[in-house]
Amino acid sequence: MGISNWGLAWTLIMPIALILYYFYRKKYKDQQVSSILYWQQVMKEMQASPYLKSLQHHLLFYLQLAALLLLVLSLLNPYFKSDGLEGEEFIFIVDTSASMLAGSPSGLEQQKDLMKDLAEEAQGKPVTIINAGSTPEILIGRERSVEDLQQGIESIDSGYESAEIEKAVLFAETLLEENSGVIHIFTDSLDRNILANKTGAAYEVHALNEKPANVSLRQFGTAEGATGYRAIVQVLNDSESPVSGAIELSGGEHGVSTEIELEPGEEKLIPFENLPANELWQATLDVEDDYIWDNQAFTFNSQSVDAVIIDNALHNLVARGVESLGITGNSASAEELPNFTGIPLITNQSNLIGGNSPILLIGRNDETSFAVSGGVETGNHPLFAYAPMDDVYISSLYPGFDNFTPVATVDGHPFIQLSPQGDIIVLADIEATDWPLNPSFPLFLWSAVNELSGSDEYLGTFLPKERRSIALGSSGGEWEIFKGEEYQFSHIEGESNFCAPKEPGIYRAVNDEETKTFIVQLNNEEKVLNSGQDYSAGNLIDTESSTEHSVIPWLLLIILLLMLAEWEVYRRGTSYR
């Protein structure tokens, strides 16, 4: 308790003057007259108790004196101090990665409880909360209300993506307005080297001191063998006791499982042979541990294109464009091309369309070209998702194929067509365009090879909340994302990059025409659990860690109640006169 305004101590003369007034005021004696006989009857109850009568005679004096003393005290500005967090402003960096969900209660819940306690100790000083995801995100900015901070902290949820603590620290340092700020980091563990030699602020690391028991499914993959598909599952017991359980593989209506036993720290590779030819497989680890999100893994058996066959009659720029994509371009003569099966062919041999291999036809060997002018107009197709054709110049075209679907035109004439079998037709020689000089040329080749590989039904594997530009190619542009039968959100193609869901699993992108599958998989970093120690780093300018709380509002409330009591005394007519 303290006083901050001793200069007004002279006001104590006012209650002293009140006391002197009551000492020297004129005395009266009781005198019965006929006009007060009625009031004597009313006063009988009070006259029955001499103590109550004495109190009532002096009550007004006590109330006035108490109110006056409290008024003088409030002028002196009394306050009391309470200990709080050291610093003038605070930034909380919270790790919301999947590994923080391990344990019961989870590490994230433990850190949220600690954040609530520290937010209360901040006692009205500004607090900013940052989510340390792949991109730092401000969840709450310079909030002073403890209640709002508590609600905001309670609403924090895991983003499942790997935490970028170092990036979040650099971002937090730009938000501090003065050197008396403190950055609190809430995570499972943090290397001291990250905060080494930092002097712009003070850093407090709040780590998880106990490491949860965990058995993780580290790797899962499938490949085609001589007698069918085979799978390999890598599993690790990262705990201090032996465990037993099972690994189950499921794909469509097919399923197979095997029992496992692991010693502490033991790692095993579990093979599965003679699996049926199913595109999508899921591995599930059934054990008792403190972390469930690394007990599942997924894989999709899409056709990977490592090489294509290029007709050696085509311009050399075609081969260079393919090789720039990291795809091997094997050269072959026109006579050798029919001998290839299943692998994409890039040629101008029109007779190969509809054969045993997917075809990217560039030009035609059975027709004569004609001159054209004007810009290229493209339709809504995945081929052009990364390869805009606005600046491409075409000097001549070949006649189009009947009953083939045009997806790009020049002067109303077909430029790029699709066959009913899915072959891609470019009705121009490379020499008749400036396309190879445009960045869209290799991107078009990449889209075309992916289209021919038959992987258009699989969008790929994503990390949680990963943003990526993908070619969906719907006519309406709107896709609904489902996990099983549960609707997640909608994505409008072309408005922004696709953002994957945060929770691992198998998802479907659905529109009116087709369905595409994609997988959300944890980063391998999130399959490793850590524990650490709390520590401090950095420098902080000396500041007062306690907070002064004025008691004037409470004093004014009491004075108001005393004044109401005085009014009641006057109303009852019980003051001594």
Side-chain angles (χ1 to χ4, degrees):
M1 185 71 176
I3 298 295
S4 63
N5 200 359
W6 284 108
L8 292 178
W10 63 269
T11 55
L12 285 171
I13 194 173
M14 292 187 291
I16 296 176
L18 177 66
I19 296 174
L20 294 176
Y21 165 75
Y22 272 90
F23 279 165
Y24 294 101
R25 70 175 184 170
K26 187 176 180 179
K27 302 296 182 180
Y28 295 93
K29 64 178 181 177
D30 292 336
Q31 179 66 43
Q32 289 188 359
V33 294
S34 58
S35 60
I36 64 171
L37 294 178
Y38 171 76
W39 292 105
Q40 288 179 335
Q41 183 67 25
V42 176
M43 300 292 290
K44 284 183 179 180
E45 181 179 351
M46 288 182 289
Q47 292 174 346
S49 175
Y51 300 103
L52 180 60
K53 180 178 180 181
S54 177
L55 175 63
Q56 290 173 335
H57 284 175
H58 302 286
L59 182 58
L60 186 59
F61 167 71
Y62 298 142
L63 292 174
Q64 290 175 341
L65 182 61
L68 200 53
L69 288 173
L70 290 178
L71 180 60
V72 170
L73 182 60
S74 64
L75 291 175
L76 298 178
N77 193 21
Y79 62 87
F80 66 90
K81 290 185 177 182
S82 62
D83 293 333
L85 287 181
E86 186 177 6
E88 293 301 322
E89 64 172 317
F90 310 99
I91 295 181
F92 293 173
I93 297 176
V94 55
D95 180 353
T96 60
S97 61
S99 58
M100 293 291 289
L101 296 177
S104 181
S106 69
L108 181 59
E109 290 299 324
Q110 295 178 46
Q111 297 289 35
K112 286 166 62 174
D113 290 340
L114 177 58
M115 291 171 65
K116 291 178 183 178
D117 294 339
L118 295 181
E120 188 171 352
E121 292 180 22
Q123 298 177 343
K125 297 177 182 178
V127 176
T128 298
I129 301 179
I130 298 176
N131 177 17
S134 57
T135 300
E137 177 188 3
I138 297 178
L139 303 179
I140 299 176
R142 299 186 60 82
E143 181 59 58
R144 296 177 180 270
S145 169
V146 175
E147 182 179 353
D148 291 342
L149 283 170
Q150 300 274 8
Q151 294 177 356
I153 293 171
E154 183 62 33
S155 65
I156 295 176
D157 196 8
S158 175
Y160 295 87
E161 54 187 339
S162 296
E164 297 286 348
I165 298 294
E166 188 170 6
K167 187 188 299 184
V169 168
L170 293 175
F171 177 64
E173 290 172 344
T174 65
L175 300 178
L176 290 175
E177 296 186 355
E178 47 189 78
N179 291 332
S180 58
V182 183
I183 298 176
H184 292 261
I185 303 173
F186 303 85
T187 183
D188 48 6
S189 66
L190 186 64
D191 189 349
R192 291 178 180 266
N193 292 329
I194 293 179
L195 302 179
N197 302 320
K198 286 185 174 292
T199 59
Y203 304 86
E204 295 288 338
V205 177
H206 308 276
L208 300 178
N209 305 129
E210 295 184 3
K211 181 180 177 180
N214 184 39
V215 183
S216 62
L217 200 160
R218 293 297 176 89
Q219 300 288 342
F220 172 48
T222 59
E224 188 174 4
T227 59
Y229 282 89
R230 65 192 306 266
I232 295 290
V233 179
Q234 179 189 24
V235 61
L236 173 65
N237 179 15
D238 192 16
S239 61
E240 299 179 354
S241 59
V243 297
S244 60
I247 295 178
E248 179 182 356
L249 263 61
S250 57
E253 298 179 354
H254 307 286
V256 60
S257 64
T258 184
E259 301 293 325
I260 60 168
E261 292 185 0
L262 297 171
E263 296 298 322
E266 183 179 5
E267 177 183 319
K268 281 186 178 181
L269 294 176
I270 312 296
F272 292 85
E273 303 288 347
N274 301 323
L275 298 175
N278 194 71
E279 288 185 329
L280 190 62
W281 286 92
Q282 173 178 327
T284 303
L285 178 62
D286 184 12
V287 293
E288 291 186 5
D289 64 358
D290 296 328
Y291 184 41
I292 65 172
W293 291 105
D294 62 353
N295 293 349
Q296 285 186 332
F298 316 92
T299 187
F300 190 89
N301 293 322
S302 61
Q303 291 181 320
S304 60
V305 180
D306 299 322
V308 297
I309 306 300
I310 302 176
D311 191 336
N312 56 17
L314 294 179
H315 197 283
N316 188 42
L317 290 174
V318 176
R320 290 186 180 182
V322 170
E323 292 173 357
S324 70
L325 302 172
I327 300 174
T328 302
N330 298 314
S331 179
S333 64
E335 293 77 15
E336 296 174 325
L337 292 178
N339 298 327
F340 295 97
T341 301
I343 188 170
L345 306 179
I346 303 178
T347 181
N348 65 350
Q349 304 295 315
S350 301
N351 61 300
L352 296 179
I353 296 176
N356 296 324
S357 295
I359 301 295
L360 171 57
L361 191 74
I362 301 180
R364 293 185 65 170
N365 66 337
D366 59 343
E367 292 286 350
T368 302
S369 63
F370 58 92
V372 293
S373 62
V376 178
E377 297 182 3
T378 58
N380 187 9
H381 194 274
L383 284 173
F384 312 113
Y386 308 107
M389 308 283 288
D390 301 339
D391 299 329
V392 175
Y393 171 75
I394 309 295
S395 63
S396 63
L397 291 177
Y398 288 98
F401 290 87
D402 295 336
N403 301 321
F404 283 17
T405 304
V407 293
T409 61
V410 176
D411 283 346
H413 302 286
F415 168 45
I416 299 177
Q417 290 181 301
L418 301 179
S419 74
Q421 295 81 17
D423 295 327
I424 300 172
I425 317 299
V426 179
L427 297 167
D429 293 323
I430 293 300
E431 306 93 293
T433 74
D434 65 351
W435 201 3
L437 304 178
N438 194 294
S440 68
F441 180 64
L443 296 175
F444 174 82
L445 293 177
W446 176 80
S447 297
V449 170
N450 280 338
E451 187 81 10
L452 295 175
S453 70
S455 60
D456 56 322
E457 294 182 357
Y458 181 62
L459 295 179
T461 300
F462 296 79
L463 296 175
K465 299 177 70 174
E466 178 183 357
R467 290 188 175 273
R468 187 190 303 175
S469 179
I470 59 174
L472 291 169
S474 67
S475 58
E478 181 174 0
W479 292 80
E480 294 182 340
I481 309 303
F482 290 86
K483 184 179 184 183
E485 299 299 325
E486 183 179 352
Y487 171 80
Q488 302 294 314
F489 60 90
S490 293
H491 170 69
I492 306 298
E493 189 174 5
E495 288 191 353
S496 61
N497 287 343
F498 177 75
C499 181
K502 66 178 183 179
E503 190 172 302
I506 300 172
Y507 292 84
R508 295 178 297 118
V510 181
N511 71 353
D512 295 335
E513 301 173 354
E514 55 186 326
T515 298
K516 297 177 184 287
T517 303
F518 66 96
I519 291 171
V520 177
Q521 197 102 281
L522 281 184
N523 190 312
N524 282 337
E525 295 179 4
E526 296 308 308
K527 299 180 181 181
V528 180
L529 302 184
N530 297 303
S531 61
Q533 298 295 325
D534 300 349
Y535 65 91
S536 302
N539 296 321
L540 178 68
I541 296 178
D542 291 336
T543 58
E544 182 66 46
S545 61
S546 60
T547 302
E548 295 182 358
H549 300 275
S550 175
V551 298
I552 289 180
W554 297 103
L555 293 177
L556 294 178
L557 177 61
I558 296 174
I559 292 173
L560 177 61
L561 295 177
L562 291 175
M563 293 178 65
L564 292 176
E566 289 182 35
W567 171 253
E568 182 65 15
V569 170
Y570 274 113
R571 191 182 69 84
R572 292 178 175 271
T574 59
S575 59
Y576 179 74
R577 304 184 189 282

